[in-house]
Amino acid sequence: LLQAKNSRFNVRQMTNAAWALAKVPVAEDQIFEQMAKRLEVVLELNSQDVFELSSQHVSNIAWAFATASKYREPLFARLSDQAQLLTDDFDPQDISIIAWAFAKHIVFDTTLFHALESRSLILINEFCVQGLANTVWAFASII
């Protein structure tokens, strides 16, 4: 069903589907591969669907693919681009999730991590203990 509908999903639906699939331990690689390819197109900076994109969408997509251990360089490059555009909208949870997802795949994007660092310093008093620990772990793991 997901394979048939994937090309018609909007950003929110694709984010929700990716999140749900990451929770299924036996999700097929092919489904993630197709979803990643579709997301790569949607996340292009000139795509109309990008206007629907929120910081939570970006962090949820990154979380889903990291949780499922599905890494595609083009997808994470586009997630990084979008995250950098949305950094001012990030809350502590978004920062923690994005940093963790990139660190899990050992992807150090200097520009992204500098943006996350700057936003983290602004929101430092809003982080919960677990979120701060995850963010510190991600930075320590990748640098």
Side-chain angles (χ1 to χ4, degrees):
L1 179 62
L2 281 175
Q3 291 173 338
K5 297 275 186 185
N6 189 17
S7 65
R8 294 181 291 211
F9 281 180
N10 64 28
V11 170
R12 186 171 42 105
Q13 292 165 328
M14 290 173 64
T15 301
N16 291 342
W19 183 89
L21 281 172
K23 295 288 217 169
V24 178
V26 293
E28 293 183 27
D29 289 345
Q30 182 182 9
I31 295 171
F32 274 98
E33 186 74 17
Q34 289 177 352
M35 186 165 291
K37 288 178 182 177
R38 172 73 175 126
L39 283 164
E40 289 162 17
V41 171
V42 170
L43 293 173
E44 284 290 337
L45 295 179
N46 61 355
S47 174
Q48 288 181 336
D49 288 339
V50 169
F51 296 112
E52 296 179 37
L53 201 63
S54 71
S55 59
Q56 185 177 6
H57 291 127
V58 173
S59 64
N60 284 352
I61 293 166
W63 177 88
F65 279 81
T67 297
S69 296
K70 308 295 184 200
Y71 175 73
R72 278 183 51 92
E73 190 279 329
L75 176 61
F76 274 74
R78 286 180 178 87
L79 286 170
S80 174
D81 292 342
Q82 292 302 318
Q84 290 172 56
L85 291 173
L86 295 166
T87 301
D88 289 343
D89 297 335
F90 277 9
D91 63 22
Q93 185 175 5
D94 296 326
I95 294 166
S96 177
I97 290 169
I98 290 284
W100 173 81
F102 276 74
K104 183 171 189 250
H105 289 300
I106 313 170
V107 178
F108 182 56
D109 182 319
T110 307
T111 308
L112 173 62
F113 273 79
H114 282 301
L116 294 175
E117 175 190 23
S118 295
R119 184 68 176 158
S120 294
L121 293 174
I122 292 168
L123 301 174
I124 193 71
N125 292 325
E126 296 178 33
F127 274 85
C128 68
V129 172
Q130 185 66 50
L132 186 57
N134 289 348
T135 304
V136 169
W137 173 87
F139 275 82
S141 295
I142 210 72
I143 296 177

